[in-house]
């Protein structure tokens, strides 16, 4: 009796494999931007005032802080880490900037002080994670509490108004307009461009992705993993500080209660756009797409009069959906 051999496995021709690879690469790079276009069209049809100039300005204001901080979170997530302290850093940096402006009447010194405060916290985070080997969850959770406490102490648990005589601090990022577009929007676009260049076109960006993909392989390949991680967290802290300065300038206040929950919004925006929580995968287009989606959904809820408390449910649902999507994407790839 002759045993029949099992048929050989079906193999796709090389051109089909290449087509699938190109389609997958296109989806990873621009798929969520295409979905955002559909979301934008749907909102335009459903809400009569959505396309008004006033509402477009409101939408832009909604995404500025998240967009700036998400640029740094891209590097953290790509390196298989994350930073939970960004909300506290933003609040503390805004307070530092206002205090320095009030004491020196120098907007430039206030901005430098706020950026230095954010960079210092980022440097500490990077040292604790990379040099001491502490898990990023524990390290940044600790600094989140510590820095928020510093914000409360520095401000005596109350908002501090910027009292520079010419109102320059408030005008700089709050009321100034360039080519009919508020300067904070240009600042966010600049962050997208600079961080996109760093991430995709420099050794620093490639090393960040290599660490997230396989840190041991990156170390054996000669990547200075500890130094790269320290730089990643320092960049994240600096961008969080910049976001805090922008927020303080727009409101004219250094508020210790500002940016609570910012870290979750930023992580959700990145993951929703396609940045992997497990590291090694991410693009600046993913950050832009996720930021736009998060901001547009919130803007649509505002237009529809959705209660603020219910918006928390939607935001949490988006975060959960983003994490589930990231999990499914890992299985598909």
């Amino acid at each position: 009796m002759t045993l029949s051999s099992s048929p050989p496995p079906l193999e796709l021709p090389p051109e089909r494999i290449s087509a699938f690879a190109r389609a997958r690469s296109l989806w990873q790079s621009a798929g969520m931007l295409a979905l955002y276009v559909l979301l934008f069209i749907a909102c335009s049809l459903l809400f009569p005032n959505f396309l008004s100039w006033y509402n477009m300005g409101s939408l832009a204001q909604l995404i500025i802080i998240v967009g700036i901080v998400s640029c740094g979170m891209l590097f953290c997530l790509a390196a298989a880490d994350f930073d939970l302290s960004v909300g506290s850093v933003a609040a503390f940096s805004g307070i530092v900037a206002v205090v320095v402006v009030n004491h020196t009447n120098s907007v430039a010194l206030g901005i430098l002080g706020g950026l230095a405060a954010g960079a210092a916290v980022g440097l500490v985070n990077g040292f604790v994670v990379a040099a001491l080997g502490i898990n990023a969850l524990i390290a940044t959770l600790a600094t989140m509490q510590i820095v928020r406490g510093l914000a409360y102490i520095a401000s005596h648990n109350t908002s501090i108004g910027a009292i520079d005589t010419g109102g320059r601090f408030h005008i700089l990022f709050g009321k100034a307009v360039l080519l009919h577009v508020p300067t904070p929007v240009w600042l966010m676009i600049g962050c997208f461009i600079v961080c996109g260049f760093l991430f995709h076109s420099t050794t620093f960006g490639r090393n960040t992705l290599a660490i997230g993909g396989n840190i041991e392989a990156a170390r054996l390949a000669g990547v200075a993993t500890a130094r790269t991680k320290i730089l990643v967290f320092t960049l994240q802290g600096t961008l969080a500080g910049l976001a805090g300065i922008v927020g303080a300038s727009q409101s004219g206040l250094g508020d210790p209660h500002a940016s609570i929950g910012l870290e979750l919004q930023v992580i959700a925006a990145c993951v929703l756009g396609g940045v992997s929580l497990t590291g090694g995968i991410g693009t600046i287009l993913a950050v832009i797409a996720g930021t736009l989606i998060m901001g547009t959904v919130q803007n649509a809820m505002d237009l529809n009069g959705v209660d603020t408390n219910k918006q928390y449910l939607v935001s949490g649902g988006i975060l959960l959906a983003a994490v589930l999507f990231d999990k499914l994407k890992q299985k598909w790839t």
Side-chain angles (χ1 to χ4, degrees), residues 64-70 86 89-91 93-94 115 173 187 191 237-250 259 262:
I64 289 169
I65 302 299
V66 173
I68 292 173
V69 181
S70 293
V86 291
V89 172
S93 296
L115 291 176
F173 293 134
L187 188 62
C191 288
T238 304
L239 289 172
L242 176 61
I245 296 168
V246 171
S249 177
Q250 289 177 316
S259 300
L262 176 63

Side-chain angles (χ1 to χ4, degrees), residues 179-202:
L179 300 177
H180 303 289
V181 177
T183 52
V185 177
W186 288 116
L187 188 62
M188 178 185 65
I189 293 172
C191 288
F192 285 146
I193 294 172
V194 172
C195 290
F197 174 78
L198 286 175
F199 191 76
H200 296 289
S201 303
T202 67

Side-chain angles (χ1 to χ4, degrees), residues 223-248:
V223 175
T225 55
R227 183 176 64 185
T228 301
K229 281 198 172 192
I230 291 173
L231 288 175
V232 164
F233 278 99
T234 304
L235 174 63
Q236 174 70 96
T238 304
L239 289 172
L242 176 61
I245 296 168
V246 171

Side-chain angles (χ1 to χ4, degrees), residues 95-117:
I95 290 171
V96 170
V98 169
V99 169
V100 172
V101 167
N102 288 348
H103 281 78
T104 65
N105 199 29
S106 170
V107 174
L109 288 178
I111 293 172
L112 289 175
L115 291 176

